[in-house]
Amino acid sequence: MASHTVENYLKALFALANEAGEVGISDLSDHLAVSKPSVNSMAKALQQDGFLKYEKYKPLKLTAKGKKAAALVVRKHRLTEMFLVEQMGFGWDEVHDIAEQVEHVKAPAFFDRMDELVGFPTVDPHGSPIPDAQGNVLEIDCVKLSECAVGEKVSLVGLSQSSKSLLTFLDSHGIALGHTFDIRAVEPFDGSMTVVHQGATDQTFSLKVCERLLVNKEA
Amino acid sequence: MASHTVENYLKALFALANEAGEVGISDLSDHLAVSKPSVNSMAKALQQDGFLKYEKYKPLKLTAKGKKAAALVVRKHRLTEMFLVEQMGFGWDEVHDIAEQVEHVKAPAFFDRMDELVGFPTVDPHGSPIPDAQGNVLEIDCVKLSECAVGEKVSLVGLSQSSKSLLTFLDSHGIALGHTFDIRAVEPFDGSMTVVHQGATDQTFSLKVCERLLVNKEA
DNA sequence: CTCGATTGTTAGAGCACCCTAACAATGTAG
DNA sequence: CTACATTGTTAGGGTGCTCTAACAATCGAG
């Protein structure tokens, strides 16, 4: 099995590829807080192990094997998050850091049991899909709230690049997955949106927030 | 915080000191399946960090700091075992290997929550005491079954050096912590003992088994 | 098309941990 | 009290992962 370090590289590669498409040495270097030469030599090592296709000066590409391995790490991470929230009573803003640690545990039975105990979920507490045991990822049908138009009714199904501060923000506004928004107005100047939250209270979100909220158009 | 490796050295040092008294380089080498020179240089490193007192050709001695650090690793291990059994439905023979992995997680909140969820236990599923958050270990009042005499009534409170095969043996004989034994006979030739288990069935155990069963004399 | 910024690469080194081979100290049996 | 087995130590090397310094390739602006 892959080392702790390798698992982290794979996870980062997987995440960056899913949000940015092409992944360069520098992207990984920033994301993992590791120097570029370190990433460079790790890239060669990962290629050696068949996880990565690497050519000088070209973007990094996970192979099928690499994608599967990465997805299985993500699976462990997200199952853990789900377990922490559902079975252990943690808040959705507390679980990322713990899961970051637990995901490296090498004990398949442990994660299988978590999966069972939380009822074989398909998404984690932040609405991100949980890859299956074969490493397949189900795409969720969603768009950014910022891409929706006035008059639409949507429901929150996930978050893009969720961070502790985003989660805290949402908590403080009483927003959770599944909540609905009626889009009342979009400010042309800064892209901020005014919505009716859960059919009750008016709230205004900055563009930055709206870009992070992934919604589904049949609320 | 100590690395994964250092935590394992500390744990081994702690365990060996508790069962054998003096701990030599070779003991650790065997216990951790690591060469003697490796242990030797690690011993110097641990001394450097104040975990150990090391003098050439002398037995290794954990310092107070070392004992505390070791106890806290043991605490994480045993809390995890307890959690795995009580909350996740694993058998007492399955939890050691998983806990071996999970114990290295660096997330105090994770273990604190486990502690809470299993009701602040003082012993793990094998009857071993769980050190408190300050690293203090409560001694259990017990003796080996092999040291008891005919006629005594005792109850099982713990195991010495529990191993998967011992646990499987006990399971297959329907024996669990808390069960009682009335000592009927001790075979002088091989030290095997015949007892009445739970006031019901007669069973005979080899000396090897009796030395692993820790019992309490007021059943 | 050239220049400068960005991005990527090489070279060289360090740290943590592991090993084997060879040798030295210790403890024990005769 | 010597002789041998056991135990411990030194020396020297390897792997995985990290870094900085210096240089090379690529890309975009003017």
Side-chain angles (χ1 to χ4, degrees), chain B:
Chain B
M1 274 213 184
S3 72
H4 191 114
T5 311
V6 166
E7 286 194 340
N8 282 336
Y9 271 89
L10 291 174
K11 195 160 54 96
L13 246 350
F14 188 79
L16 291 171
N18 282 359
E19 57 187 56
E22 302 224 315
V23 183
I25 300 273
S26 290
D27 300 324
L28 261 187
S29 171
D30 291 349
H31 194 87
L32 293 171
V34 147
S35 74
K36 283 183 286 185
S38 297
V39 174
N40 186 279
S41 59
M42 179 58 89
K44 291 172 183 171
L46 290 176
Q47 177 173 52
Q48 208 61 30
D49 294 343
F51 290 120
L52 201 62
K53 195 175 120 226
Y54 164 76
E55 288 175 275
K56 276 191 181 184
Y57 302 106
K58 296 271 178 65
L60 304 169
K61 286 274 191 194
L62 282 173
T63 60
K65 174 180 172 181
K67 269 180 204 149
K68 177 169 176 176
L72 292 178
V73 178
V74 171
R75 173 177 167 77
K76 290 193 288 176
H77 181 96
R78 295 188 177 158
L79 277 178
T80 301
E81 288 193 337
M82 208 56 193
F83 183 82
L84 291 171
V85 168
E86 298 289 313
Q87 298 280 307
M88 295 187 75
F90 284 99
W92 71 345
D93 57 333
E94 305 177 279
V95 298
H96 181 79
D97 293 347
I98 301 176
E100 202 76 4
Q101 295 271 323
V102 176
E103 71 190 2
H104 300 296
V105 164
K106 265 102 188 135
F110 184 51
F111 296 100
D112 290 347
R113 192 62 58 101
M114 280 188 191
D115 196 17
E116 245 181 274
L117 289 170
V118 295
F120 308 105
T122 58
V123 295
D124 77 5
H126 314 109
S128 303
I130 298 176
D132 69 20
Q134 282 67 51
N136 304 307
V137 197
L138 202 65
E139 278 307 312
I140 335 182
D141 177 30
C142 63
V143 296
K144 293 177 185 169
L145 177 59
S146 57
E147 289 162 1
C148 298
V150 171
E152 290 187 303
K153 291 164 92 85
V154 300
S155 68
L156 184 64
V157 298
L159 307 173
S160 153
Q161 309 162 57
S162 75
S163 60
K164 177 114 183 164
S165 55
L166 174 62
L167 296 172
T168 306
F169 171 86
L170 296 177
D171 268 349
S172 72
H173 287 68
I175 297 168
L177 289 187
H179 285 193
T180 61
F181 302 106
D182 295 1
I183 303 172
R184 275 292 140 79
V186 178
E187 175 57 52
F189 175 63
D190 64 358
S192 61
M193 293 176 110
T194 300
V195 302
V196 181
H197 175 223
Q198 290 288 80
T201 59
D202 273 41
Q203 299 196 337
T204 301
F205 303 133
S206 70
L207 177 60
K208 193 158 178 184
V209 168
C210 296
E211 284 176 329
R212 303 290 205 86
L213 302 181
L214 301 176
V215 299
N216 183 306
K217 292 194 183 177
E218 56 262 355

Side-chain angles (χ1 to χ4, degrees), chain A residues 10-179:
Chain A
L10 290 174
K11 194 159 55 96
L13 245 350
F14 188 80
L16 290 171
N18 282 358
E19 55 188 56
E22 303 225 313
V23 184
I25 299 273
S26 290
D27 299 324
L28 217 44
S29 170
D30 291 348
H31 194 87
L32 294 171
V34 147
S35 74
K36 284 182 287 184
S38 297
V39 174
N40 185 278
S41 59
M42 179 58 89
K44 290 172 183 171
L46 290 176
Q47 177 172 52
Q48 208 59 31
D49 293 343
F51 289 120
L52 200 62
K53 195 174 120 225
Y54 165 75
E55 288 175 275
K56 277 192 179 182
Y57 301 106
K58 296 271 179 65
L60 304 170
K61 286 275 190 193
L62 282 172
T63 59
K65 174 180 172 181
K67 268 180 205 151
K68 176 167 177 178
L72 292 178
V73 178
V74 171
R75 173 176 167 78
K76 289 193 288 177
H77 181 96
R78 294 187 178 159
L79 276 178
T80 301
E81 288 193 335
M82 207 57 191
F83 184 82
L84 291 171
V85 167
E86 298 289 314
Q87 298 283 130
M88 296 188 74
F90 284 99
W92 72 344
D93 57 333
E94 306 176 279
V95 298
H96 181 79
D97 293 347
I98 302 176
E100 202 76 2
Q101 295 272 324
V102 176
E103 71 190 3
H104 300 296
V105 164
K106 266 102 187 132
F110 183 51
F111 296 99
D112 290 347
R113 193 62 59 103
M114 281 189 190
D115 196 16
E116 243 181 277
L117 288 169
V118 295
F120 309 104
T122 58
V123 296
D124 78 5
H126 314 109
S128 303
I130 299 177
D132 68 22
Q134 282 67 50
N136 304 307
V137 197
L138 203 66
E139 278 306 313
I140 332 182
D141 176 32
C142 64
V143 295
K144 293 177 183 170
L145 176 59
S146 58
E147 289 162 0
C148 299
V150 170
E152 291 186 303
K153 292 164 92 82
V154 300
S155 67
L156 184 63
V157 297
L159 306 172
S160 151
Q161 308 163 56
S162 75
S163 60
K164 178 117 183 160
S165 55
L166 174 62
L167 295 171
T168 306
F169 170 86
L170 297 177
D171 268 349
S172 72
H173 286 68
I175 296 168
L177 289 188
H179 285 192

